[in-house]
Amino acid sequence: MFALIAALLFVIALVFEIAGLAVGSVLRVTTLGTAGLLCVALHLMGVGAGWSLLKK
């Protein structure tokens, strides 16, 4: 789930970068990129994998 969110954040950041957009002072390309990297890190840690890991 976090991998999908990260991919969407990276796509939005790419569109913002190509179009040269920024929404206020908070939502910028670097903010979206950092949020995407956080989601990738959470995905690699196994967060959001569901209950399947606990049902062994």
Side-chain angles (χ1 to χ4, degrees):
M1 185 66 180
F2 280 110
L4 178 64
I5 294 170
L8 291 174
L9 287 171
F10 287 138
V11 166
I12 293 170
L14 178 64
V15 170
F16 275 30
E17 179 69 28
I18 290 172
L21 295 175
V23 180
S25 63
V26 176
L27 191 59
R28 295 177 292 183
V29 174
T30 54
T31 307
L32 291 170
T34 303
L37 288 174
L38 173 66
C39 289
V40 169
L42 290 172
H43 172 73
L44 291 174
M45 283 177 36
V47 175
W51 292 96
S52 63
L53 294 175
L54 298 176
K55 290 184 177 180
K56 289 184 178 179

